[in-house]
């Protein structure tokens, strides 16, 4: 029981920390990575809530799919921005 | 047996048809439709004579002919508004006067208008026809509403005829003034009509269900009226009603202070002036009071007011006539003054005297105007008396008839005016001895006598006597039969009309039966119950008082005083103006001169009032455009301004949208949370 | 029968809309005669008695259920009684004349113009015959649409402003009125099962108003009365809601002004009579003094404004405000002569103001100005038209034996001693003073424009007006005189329908 | 007859739409590019018309109505087909048909119009499903089915900066709103323990200590609804999206999508959060909607009054109309006798609005097709060259303003009437004031078309084409707008019956 | 693991979810880059999912979990579309900053 509480508290703190990191990060790429962390820690919560399948999906779809997409987008837009800034 | 009274409407309608004909096809007719008018008025005249004869034969009529609006309720009362005829001695007499004068004016117009080459003749004759028709309709009206309606139509016709020369600036303005000022009086009259109908539920003049009869009964405590305004005593209310109706009379009969339109109305063609002054418009006011005298006799206050207004107007107008330079202007003020006498008579209880003066005045004033018209023809439409002189020998017919009219106007024995004016003064005197207000009226009337004689003969001398003062006066245009004919007829009448009512002679000599008019109006030969001079005398408030020598002595003294004064005035005029080359003596009047020349500044006052009204209207307009419409437009501006503020919310920056959206949601949350108590 | 009348007019409007411009005017005139004949037929066979709203016999009544909403039926319910028939006749009479008077001034997009005129006529007929609230309201609102176009497209220089102002202002009022009426019907609850006006009137008279959301019946009735009164006051218009009127009139082309003054203003007074004064007489009576005061203010203030104007059309427009004040006075006094006279005055004013606007229009056609200072002596150049103008002006001043006098006099007689209005004599006497002011401004305007030496700066000759301009004027004048001499041809049936209205009121004391 | 069909037949319109969407994809793959526009438009139109016919037939035959045994529930009660669902499906299908027909001309020279049709039809499918949703889960999924294609549709003109900007804003606000909506659902689930609407209603009736949670959730759900219906304060996307999007898409969004938002509201706030239970739990969402309605109509109308561009004016006016329709929810009361009437009137208004507003945007589409410009001034004198279309536009404008003899008159007035009947006089008064304002700007369009003179004689020369499809759609919408006035009886009666069945 | 669920009061999950939601919302409101926006929204959706999963367990009702699954899928689709839009935005405006494109306003 106590462990459970500690675990909840710990992962809640992790989730929130990562979440805050996402919104506060200076760099978009860092933010994307932090988002991955946050989502993963949410997946841990799911496991604790006996929703292992959801947790799996969370990691698969989000961390495996969404995050990659975001990363792509970051790369596509930022590189061009830099070249534009440079060229300008 | 032919019922002559069923032809009474024809008396009214004949001139009306001549109006339609002249208006519709007048320009295709010879003389611009004049003959139609002459035929129509002649027909009316003959019918009127026949009616007069029938009335003399002891018959009278009080009939409702046509329901104008079916009975509708006002408050508790049902009222039917109808047209009808009331033919009694008074209206029969008036019919004859009006049709005769109208006929003569039509004939005279041939000379004055046609021969002078005026344009727009069909319009002129149409106007004359409608004018006669309206007046005749007014005369035969059997109720106050019908009287009012024709009264108004008379006003319309005066507008049309005074403004006949509409291409010049003056006449339209004068016409407007005539209509407006009389309309102002009619406003009170209309209230009076409505008040009478509301009070009595009827506006009939005659019969037991007529409003004078009902009022009499109610005052005597034998009946009640349908309505009085809350808290007002019957006597007071009837006085108010009487005064309201009087408003119309004051306007139409050009009594102080609504007389100002009449001198301006001289802008109209002279025959029209004759018609207006002698028999139609101006006479209408006095006739109305006579018509409903049974009502006025019940309210002493009204009578006193009438008398005082009359006496004052008589003197007041006469003084202004003294300084006028134009022929028709003098006559205009004399008209005002003479109608003042009639009002004085009516106010003084001299019902017969008033009708008598109305009759004689109709003839001699028509005569004077037509005579003036003849002079104007001769003078090529120059009216300034200082440009005339010496016309006596050039146009004798005009001169002698004009002289007869002038003598009548001045009240010189034995011309018509003497008899009637004398009787008025007598009535005012005997009744006034017990009534100080009335005595004041009498004194003013008496004072006006020498003034009248003075300005009348000033006019005569300046026009006809002395040396011609201009080229035109030396060689005036001649006039034809159509001018001389009417003048002659009227000249004779001006001499003889007085003899129909020789009351002083009767009283002094004790000859019974020569006071024909008294007997006539007293239903001696028949008439309508309740519409007799005796009845009026009975219900009236006056008692007679006498000077030395009782009745006969008073008659003699009164007649002597007034005749003496008239002669004095005449003599003064003779002294001043019957010289080869008269000069203006107005300078001797000093400061009064300006006042008289400017008609006591009453015109100025009224113009000032009109301008102030326009100022108020202008203010109202500014208020309307600025404030009221401003509010309306302001609502629109504020809305649009609000809209332009609201749209600023839409900044185009999506982050701000997100912020606003969140704030909105939070606000909603707070609102609901507080009301729902979620946070407790 | 009424359906045929309205339906035909709609079809005619459509046909004219599709007709080529050259024919449109003539065609519209020909078509518009048929409704007139139809209304004459209605008149000839009129067998109604009493007031349509208070259980009287309704002539030519048709009732077909249309839809049901919120448990109440809406139906196509039309019919005429003594109050609506004269207005129907007025409408069908004025429209052909207005169409003829448009032949000269309207020179662009004719087929649209005449089509809209007929479309408006159809809706006006609907307004005066509808006896179901929703049906009535449809027509009532639908009148605005053609009017908006008519002013906006063919109007004067400031036509757009005037059109939008007219449109928005009167619509705002309609909405207010709608809400007022609806509160009333809902407060009736189950007492009324439809929007048929007779049923609603009857239910209110029988005390069917119930408490509605905690508001007492009296208060609901009063609020509804005020809302409807304000709504109609704009339409009438009553001071101080009148400011759209001069703008609309001045900018509208002549034929449109004719209909605007002749018929559209009557919609307001007609509705006031039908709704406020017939359905809620006691509320009206309770407000007698303020309403009487408003009437008097409308009369005097409107007349004063007219006095200050320099534009002939504006003069006539403001004088309409003044004339409508009389109508309000006639309605509030609740006497047969008052209410009947008010209705009669609607017809009379419709004819007279129509005549005046047409006459001003004829002069405008020739001079292209309406400003008093710009011309003088027009009588010299167009005697017939000016003659009729003068006659019409005198009609406006309430000259006896013309229709205007009859209407005004009935109202005055009815109101002077009316028990329903405290201080009635004073109100009446004050209102009567309007007849002096009206004479003042009309005579002044005529003096400076029609009379005096001819003066007008134009580069063409000003000649007599063409026949088809003058003919409608003459027809109107004849109608005015006929109604003035024999008011009973309408007044009798009006009175018959007005009596129940008068009897509906309870007067304290 | 209905009884002989399987229950699932009640979903026929949804299936038809979904099938049409698939068919469109198929057509796109097999037809050559040159003709794909026409063939896809034909298929799309036929499919949506078939769906329309199916839904009308189902309504007429009484499927799901109280008379024939009540609503049909399918798939473990996740789907519930009743008259209201079918009524709204009819709205969606008719708007879709109009938009598809009009799009044919609008995209006449677009390089790849094919995707457009399938996106529209898929969105319509989502709407139809939305109307029948009986579970919060289905509801959210269907909502996303509507939203996701819509984002793409708005940004459909990829090279047009306006379109892209609009798409971006729409998407961002939409994503945020979805998240809020979803969180609201999760809170409601937390408070009541169920996603089925009827069970949620039960849960609302027996909340203990969780009223705050449920209330918070409901407010967030209100937010989601407000987004979809473009109500304040979730309206910010609307002016830009409508202005920037291709005009047929604007028509689709402002009519069908808005109606979809309302079907959620009607469904949720009658079945999941009934008035009585919510009020008992201290959750006065009626007040929330009242505030939203008043603010929305005021803001929409006042902002519309000062616009220079017709399309943006229409966008704001459509916000204003959302405010009117919100009265349908905001004027509900615990035992108000007119709950059915007012909501039915709102539904009827949405139907009429579907025609008149779509028509108005399609007229704008026509103007864009002609290239005459976007502002009021640019529209000046259009009636001279295009009288039929301009007349139709005048009909739409007056009908939107609520003037007879057009259908908008009745629907709006019945709405006010219902509000008054339920005691919400103040809402009706708000509506009235706003109607007046709206009259001003609607009549500005009419004024521009008919009254104003063209800026120059050549400015109308651009009108050299007569796009048949657009014309047909506009005229059809106008005719429907007019005919719905005399034919309003069946509409309002159906709508009222459908709405009453929910209480 | 059963013990975890029963030992943690559901309110705590509510609070956690709310906190995550607020963080997401904070991100939405403070960051102007579209990608931050997107990621913040993902956080918010996850917050909802936490609720669903937690209360699915609490109520012993699988629908919450199922719905969470749907949400994950939809969120993914949304991100895909979002990134597509961000890319065209970038192509047209050259930025991913959402405060820059303000051609349409007022």
């Amino acid at each position: 029981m106590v462990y459970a509480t500690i675990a909840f508290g710990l992962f809640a703190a992790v989730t929130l920390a990562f979440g805050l990191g996402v919104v506060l990060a200076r760099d978009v790429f860092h933010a994307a990575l932090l988002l991955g962390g946050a989502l993963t820690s949410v997946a841990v919560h799911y496991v604790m809530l006996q929703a292992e399948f959801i947790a799996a999906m969370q990691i698969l779809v989000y961390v495996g799919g969404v995050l990659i997409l975001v990363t792509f987008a970051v790369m596509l837009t930022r590189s061009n921005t830099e070249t534009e800034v440079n060229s300008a | 047996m032919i019922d002559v009274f069923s032809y009474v409407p024809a008396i009214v309608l004949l001139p009306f048809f001549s109006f339609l004909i002249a208006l519709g096809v007048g320009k295709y007719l010879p003389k611009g439709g004049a003959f139609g008018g002459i035929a129509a008025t002649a027909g009316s005249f003959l019918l009127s004579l026949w009616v007069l004869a029938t009335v003399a034969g002891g018959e009278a009529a009080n009939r409702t002919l046509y329901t104008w609006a079916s009975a509708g309720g006002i408050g508790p009362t049902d009222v039917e508004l109808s047209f009808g005829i009331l033919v009694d001695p008074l209206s029969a007499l008036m019919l004859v006067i009006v049709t005769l004068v109208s006929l003569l004016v039509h004939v005279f117009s041939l000379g004055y208008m046609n021969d002078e080459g005026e344009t727009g003749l069909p319009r002129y004759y149409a106007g004359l026809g409608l004018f006669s028709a309206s007046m005749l309709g007014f005369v035969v009206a059997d109720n106050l509403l019908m009287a009012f309606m024709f009264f108004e139509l008379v006003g319309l016709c005066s507008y049309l005829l005074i403004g006949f020369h509409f291409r010049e600036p003056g006449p339209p303005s004068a016409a407007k003034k005539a209509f407006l000022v009389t309309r102002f009086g009619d406003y009170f009259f209309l209230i009076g009509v409505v008040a009478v109908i509301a009070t009595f539920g009827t506006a009939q003049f005659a019969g037991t269900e007529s409003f004078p009869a009902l009022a009499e009964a109610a005052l005597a405590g034998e009946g009640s009226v349908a309505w009085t305004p809350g808290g007002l005593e019957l006597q007071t209310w009837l006085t108010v009603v009487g005064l309201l109706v009087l408003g119309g009379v004051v306007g139409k009969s050009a009594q102080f202070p609504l007389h100002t339109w009449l001198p301006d109305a001289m802008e109209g063609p002279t025959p029209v002036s004759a018609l207006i002054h002698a028999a139609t418009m101006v006479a209408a006011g006095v006739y109305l009071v006579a018509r409903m005298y049974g009502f006025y006799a019940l309210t002493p206050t009204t009578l006193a007011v009438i008398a005082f207004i009359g006496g004052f107007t008589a003197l007041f107008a006469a003084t202004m006539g003294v300084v006028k330079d134009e022929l028709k202007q003098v006559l205009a003020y004399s008209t005002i003054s003479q109608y003042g006498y009639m009002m004085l008579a009516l106010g003084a209880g001299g019902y017969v005297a008033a009708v008598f003066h109305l009759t004689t005045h109709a003839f001699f004033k028509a005569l004077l105007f037509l005579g003036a018209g003849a002079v104007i023809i001769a003078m090529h439409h120059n009216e300034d008396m200082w440009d005339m002189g010496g016309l006596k020998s050039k146009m004798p017919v005009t001169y002698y008839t004009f002289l007869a009219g002038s003598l009548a106007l001045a009240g010189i024995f034995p011309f018509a005016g003497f008899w009637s004016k004398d009787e008025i003064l007598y009535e005012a005197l005997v009744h006034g001895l017990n009534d100080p207000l009335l005595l004041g009226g009498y004194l003013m009337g008496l004072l006006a006598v020498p003034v009248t004689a003075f300005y009348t003969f000033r006019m005569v001398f300046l026009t006809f006597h002395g040396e011609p003062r201009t080229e035109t006066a030396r060689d005036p245009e001649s006039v034809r039969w159509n001018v001389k004919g009417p003048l002659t007829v009227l000249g004779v009448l001006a001499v003889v009309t007085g003899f129909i009512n020789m009351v002083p002679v009767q009283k002094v000599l004790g000859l019974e039966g020569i006071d024909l008019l008294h007997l006539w109006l007293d239903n001696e030969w028949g008439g309508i119950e309740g519409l007799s001079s005796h009845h009026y005398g009975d219900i009236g408030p006056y008692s007679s008082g006498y000077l030395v020598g009782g009745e006969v002595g008073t008659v003699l003294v009164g007649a002597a005083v007034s005749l003496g004064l008239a002669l004095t005035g005449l003599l003064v005029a003779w002294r001043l103006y019957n010289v080869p080359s008269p000069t203006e003596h107005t300078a001797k009047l000093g400061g009064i001169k300006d006042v008289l020349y400017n008609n006591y500044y009453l015109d100025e006052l009224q113009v000032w009032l009109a301008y102030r009204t326009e100022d108020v209207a202008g203010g109202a307009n500014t208020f309307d455009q600025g404030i009221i419409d401003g509010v309306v437009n302001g609502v629109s501006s504020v809305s649009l301004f609000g809209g332009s503020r609201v749209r600023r919310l839409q900044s185009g920056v999506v982050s701000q949208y997100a912020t606003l959206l969140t704030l909105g949601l939070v606000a909603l949350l707070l609102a609901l949370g507080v009301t729902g108590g979620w946070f407790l | 029968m009424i359906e045929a009348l309205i339906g035909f007019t709609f079809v005619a409007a459509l046909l004219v809309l599709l007709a080529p411009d050259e024919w449109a005017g003539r065609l519209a005139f020909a078509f518009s005669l048929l409704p007139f004949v139809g209304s004459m037929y209605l008149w000839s066979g009129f067998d109604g008695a009493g007031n349509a709203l208070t259980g009287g016999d309704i002539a030519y009544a048709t009732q077909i259920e249309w839809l049901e909403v919120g448990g109440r039926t809406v139906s196509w319910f039309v019919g005429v009684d003594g109050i609506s028939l004269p207005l129907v006749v007025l409408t069908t009479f004025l429209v052909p004349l207005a169409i003829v008077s448009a032949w000269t001034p309207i020179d662009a997009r004719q087929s649209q113009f005449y089509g809209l005129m007929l479309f408006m006529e159809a809706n006006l007929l609907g307004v005066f015959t509808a006896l179901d609230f929703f049906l009535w309201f449809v027509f009532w609102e639908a009148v605005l649409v053609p009017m908006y176009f008519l002013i906006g497209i063919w109007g004067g220089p400031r036509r757009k402003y005037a059109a939008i102002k007219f449109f928005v202002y009167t619509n705002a009022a309609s909405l207010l009125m709608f809400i007022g009426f609806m509160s009333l019907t809902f407060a009736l609850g189950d007492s009324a099962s439809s929007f048929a006006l007779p049923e609603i009137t009857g239910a209110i008279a029988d005390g069917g108003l119930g408490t509605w959301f905690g508001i007492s019946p009296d208060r609901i009735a009063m609020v509804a009365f005020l809302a409807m009164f304000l709504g109609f006051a704009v339409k009438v218009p009553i001071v101080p809601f009148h400011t759209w009127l001069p703008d609309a009139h001045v900018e509208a082309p002549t034929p449109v002004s004719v209909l605007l003054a002749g018929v559209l203003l009557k919609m307001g007074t007609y509705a006031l009579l039908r709704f406020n004064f017939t359905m809620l007489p006691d509320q009206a009576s309770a407000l007698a003094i303020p309403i009487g005061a408003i009437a008097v203010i409308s009369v005097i203030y409107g007349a004063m404004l007219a006095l200050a104007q320099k534009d002939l059309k504006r003069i006539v427009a403001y004088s309409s405000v003044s004339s409508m004040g009389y109508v309000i006075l006639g309605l509030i006094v609740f006497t047969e002569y008052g209410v009947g006279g008010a209705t009669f005055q609607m017809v009379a004013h419709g004819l007279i103001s129509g005549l005046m606007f047409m006459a001003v229009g004829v002069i405008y056609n020739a001079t292209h100005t309406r400003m008093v200072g710009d011309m003088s002596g027009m009588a010299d150049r167009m005697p017939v038209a000016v003659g009729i103008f003068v006659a019409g002006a005198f009609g406006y001043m309430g000259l006896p034996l013309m229709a205007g006098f009859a209407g005004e006099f009935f109202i005055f007689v009815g109101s002077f001693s009316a028990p329903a209005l405290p201080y009635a004599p004073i109100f009446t006497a004050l209102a009567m003073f309007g007849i002096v002011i009206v004479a003042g401004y009309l005579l002044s305007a005529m003096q400076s424009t029609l009379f005096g030496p001819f003066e007008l700066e134009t580069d063409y000759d000003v000649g007599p007006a063409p026949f088809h301009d003058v003919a409608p004027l003459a027809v109107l004048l004849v109608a005015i005189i006929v109604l003035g001499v024999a008011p009973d041809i309408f007044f009798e049936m009006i009175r018959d329908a007005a009596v129940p209205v008068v009897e509906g009121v309870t007067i304290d004391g | 007859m209905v009884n002989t069909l399987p229950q699932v037949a009640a979903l026929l319109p949804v299936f038809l739409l979904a099938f049409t969407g698939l068919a469109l994809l198929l057509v796109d793959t097999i037809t050559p590019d040159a003709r794909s526009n026409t063939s896809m438009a034909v298929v799309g139109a036929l499919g949506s018309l078939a769906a329309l016919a199916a839904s009308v037939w189902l309504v007429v035959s009484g499927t799901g109505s109280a008379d024939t045994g009540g609503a049909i529930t399918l798939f473990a009660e996740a789907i519930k087909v009743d008259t209201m669902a079918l009524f709204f499906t009819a709205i969606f299908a008719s708007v879709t048909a109009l938009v598809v027909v009009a799009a044919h001309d609008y995209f006449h020279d677009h390089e790849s119009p094919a995707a457009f049709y399938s996106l529209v039809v898929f969105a319509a499918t989502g709407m139809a499903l939305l109307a029948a949703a009986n579970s919060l889960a289905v509801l959210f999924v269907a909502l996303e089915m509507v939203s996701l294609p819509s984002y793409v549709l708005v940004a459909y003109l990829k090279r047009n900066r306006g379109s892209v900007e609009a798409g971006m804003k729409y998407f961002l606000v939409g994503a945020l709103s979805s998240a809020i909506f979803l969180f609201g659902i999760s809170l409601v689930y937390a408070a009541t323990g169920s996603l089925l609407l009827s069970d949620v209603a039960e849960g609302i009736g027996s909340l203990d200590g969780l009223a705050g949670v449920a209330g918070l959730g409901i407010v967030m759900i209100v937010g989601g609804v407000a987004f979809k219906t473009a109500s304040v304060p979730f309206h910010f996307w609307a002016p830009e999206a409508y202005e920037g999007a291709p005009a047929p898409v604007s028509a689709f969004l402002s009519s069908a999508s808005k109606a979809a938002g309302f079907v959620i509201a009607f469904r949720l706030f009658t079945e999941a959060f009934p008035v009585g239970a919510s009020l008992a739990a201290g959750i006065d969402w009626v007040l929330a909607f009242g505030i939203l309605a008043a603010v929305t109509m005021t803001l929409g109308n006042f902002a519309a009054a000062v616009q220079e561009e017709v399309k943006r004016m229409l966008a704001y006016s459509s916000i204003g109309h959302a405010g009117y329709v919100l009265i349908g929810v905001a004027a509900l009361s615990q035992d108000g006798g007119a709950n059915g009437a007012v909501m039915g009137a709102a539904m009827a208004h949405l139907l009429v609005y579907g025609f008149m507003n779509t028509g108005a945007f399609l007229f704008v589409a026509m103007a864009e097709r002609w290239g005459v410009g976007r502002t009021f001034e640019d529209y000046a004198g259009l009636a001279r060259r295009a009288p039929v279309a301009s007349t139709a536009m005048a009909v739409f404008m007056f009908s939107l303003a609520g003037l007879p003899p057009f259908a908008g008159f009745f629907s709006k007035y019945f709405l006010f009437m219902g509000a008054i009947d339920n005691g919400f006089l103040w809402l009706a008064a708000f509506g009235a004031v706003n109607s007046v304002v709206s009259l001003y700007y609607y009549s500005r369009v009419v004024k521009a078309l008919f009254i104003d003179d063209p800026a120059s004689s050549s400015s109308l020369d651009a009108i050299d084409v007569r796009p048949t499809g657009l014309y047909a759609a506009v005229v059809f919408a106008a005719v429907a707008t007019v005919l719905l006035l005399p034919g309003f009886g069946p509409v309002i009666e159906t709508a009222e019956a459908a709405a009453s069945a929910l209480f | 693991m059963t013990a975890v669920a029963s030992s943690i009061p559901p309110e705590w999950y509510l609070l956690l979810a709310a906190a995550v939601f607020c963080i997401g919302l904070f991100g939405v409101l403070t960051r102007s880059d579209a990608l931050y926006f997107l990621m913040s929204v993902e956080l918010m959706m996850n917050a909802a999912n936490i609720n669903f999963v937690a209360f699915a367990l609490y109520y012993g009702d699988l629908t919450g979990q199922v719905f969470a699954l749907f949400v994950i899928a939809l969120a993914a689709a949304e991100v895909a579309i979002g990134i597509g839009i961000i890319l065209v935005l970038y192509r047209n405006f050259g930025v991913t900053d959402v405060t820059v494109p303000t051609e349409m306003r007022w």
Side-chain angles (χ1 to χ4, degrees), chain B residues 16 138 172-173 240 247 257 315 324 330 332 344 418 460 532 546 636 650:
Chain B
F16 182 72
F138 170 72
S173 170
V240 171
L315 177 60
K324 297 300 171 203
V330 177
L344 173 62
F418 165 76
V460 171
S532 68
Y546 298 106
S636 134
Q650 198 79 19

Side-chain angles (χ1 to χ4, degrees), chain D residues 268-315:
Chain D
L268 283 181
F269 290 93
T270 54
E271 302 211 327
F273 318 120
V275 197
S278 304
L279 285 179
I283 304 166
D284 191 0
W285 52 257
V286 175
L287 176 69
F289 275 114
I291 297 169
L292 285 194
V295 176
T296 303
M297 57 183 137
T298 308
L299 189 140
N301 282 306
F302 276 74
V306 291
Q307 296 303 320
E308 292 89 29
E309 291 181 15
V310 177
K311 205 172 171 188
R312 199 169 172 85
M313 179 280 281
L314 283 176

